[in-house]
Amino acid sequence: MTLSPEEMKKVYDIQRSMHQKFRHVNSIYGEPLPYLGRLFIVHEGVFWPSKDSEALVKNYAINPGEEVCDVCTGSGVIAVHSAWKGAKKVVALDINPNAIKSTLENSKYHNLGDIIEARQSDVFSALKSEERFEVVTMNPPFTDHKKEVGDYAELTVWDPALHVQKSFFDGLDRVLKHIPTARAYVTQASFGAIDEMVERADKTGFSVQEIGKNVVDDLRTFYAFELRRKK
Ligand SMILES: C[S@@+](CC[C@H](N)C(=O)[O-])C[C@H]1O[C@@H](n2cnc3c(N)ncnc32)[C@H](O)[C@@H]1O
């Protein structure tokens, strides 16, 4: 699933224009955005909820009362959907402090402040050692690309040296409860590190099953996967 160098150049240009958009948001109020018919606020440097997460949001399942950890939460859009699907508690994690601010505002706006907790975190680093979840969700930065400006806007779509992907698979078995229904839902893209994800899942004891996809154009297809411990 590899794009040619010319195609990847087009992807990087699209991503650079996304970074510019994410940087230029009202510094006090943020930007209200529609996503699947609901409103979400994003602050400066935060990823705008978009087509990349739709295959996941439309196809993943949460059983009533489950506890969920949403890594790379951004505006908190997946955390909010997990609460709407019935989660009892959602811990939302992101490296960007403005993502935490956006997630807290969106949780409050949608009356989910008592269900969603948000913490600044490098992948799972802010979880307490004893915290375990039935479900982990993640819509990560897809592309292994080195920093150019070096701000949080770039880390929305670029994952230098696949740090996020590596840390996710290093921590997943510890963070997921050891029960048969435990699972993770993860997105990836036609231009991203899918093969690396499948390899890391396999090496850390997880099977990968596609649960949905969203074809945007010739360059960009977004996928949603369910990961479970191999039997
Ligand atoms: C593609 S965005 C997804 C945002 C949101 N979940 C959504 O679906 O709209 C990726 C997110 O990963 C976050 N991120 C990047 N590196 C991270 C890290 N090391 N630890 C935690 N979050 C990180 C970014 O700040 C960004 O919010």
Side-chain angles (χ1 to χ4, degrees):
M1 208 171 296
T2 315
L3 299 191
S4 69
E6 292 72 29
E7 288 171 322
M8 277 314 291
K9 193 177 169 304
K10 285 186 196 160
V11 169
Y12 295 139
D13 285 342
I14 294 170
Q15 292 177 323
R16 286 186 192 98
S17 64
M18 289 165 70
H19 300 154
Q20 284 297 91
K21 188 174 74 170
F22 300 160
R23 286 174 187 128
H24 295 104
V25 164
N26 183 293
S27 61
I28 297 170
Y29 302 110
E31 180 85 23
L33 301 168
Y35 174 85
L36 297 177
R38 310 283 187 111
L39 269 189
F40 288 84
I41 291 280
V42 289
H43 286 282
E44 208 176 300
V46 174
F47 187 81
W48 291 20
S50 173
K51 298 198 173 302
D52 60 328
S53 53
E54 284 185 15
L56 188 152
V57 167
K58 288 178 179 169
N59 293 298
Y60 81 120
I62 299 294
N63 301 313
E66 286 186 319
E67 297 190 343
V68 179
C69 176
D70 181 39
V71 199
C72 296
T73 201
S75 59
V77 64
I78 297 172
V80 165
H81 278 84
S82 290
W84 281 333
K85 285 173 190 270
K88 173 170 78 179
K89 172 182 159 186
V90 184
V91 176
L93 307 173
D94 201 287
I95 193 120
N96 179 351
N98 271 354
I100 302 310
K101 181 177 169 181
S102 308
T103 297
L104 291 173
E105 285 182 20
N106 287 319
S107 306
K108 208 169 154 193
Y109 175 74
H110 291 295
N111 290 318
L112 299 168
D114 53 342
I115 296 178
I116 298 172
E117 189 189 324
R119 301 179 203 158
Q120 188 179 7
S121 182
D122 181 1
V123 191
F124 294 125
S125 68
L127 292 179
K128 296 169 201 123
S129 58
E130 71 282 5
E131 277 181 297
R132 302 282 183 276
F133 301 87
E134 275 100 358
V135 180
V136 174
T137 54
M138 179 175 74
N139 180 25
F142 297 134
T143 319
D144 181 359
H145 190 279
K146 64 182 186 313
K147 295 175 192 173
E148 292 179 356
V149 173
D151 62 1
Y152 286 120
E154 284 185 349
L155 294 184
T156 58
V157 294
W158 290 346
D159 183 16
L162 295 181
H163 161 79
V164 171
Q165 192 186 87
K166 281 181 192 149
S167 307
F168 177 83
F169 283 104
D170 285 349
L172 186 60
D173 187 55
R174 173 177 55 85
V175 163
L176 269 185
K177 284 186 182 175
H178 279 262
I179 53 173
T181 52
R183 63 212 181 274
Y185 295 105
V186 177
T187 60
Q188 253 300 340
S190 48
F191 53 86
I194 296 185
D195 293 346
E196 293 87 340
M197 182 202 77
V198 172
E199 198 180 321
R200 284 203 168 90
D202 186 51
K203 279 191 178 143
T204 51
F206 287 87
S207 64
V208 178
Q209 194 193 347
E210 186 185 313
I211 57 165
K213 70 176 173 182
N214 188 10
V215 182
V216 174
D217 54 32
D218 289 351
L219 293 173
R220 291 172 298 170
T221 299
F222 298 109
Y223 299 89
F225 299 99
E226 182 178 88
L227 278 56
R228 286 183 185 261
R229 285 191 183 91
K230 286 189 264 186
K231 292 191 180 118

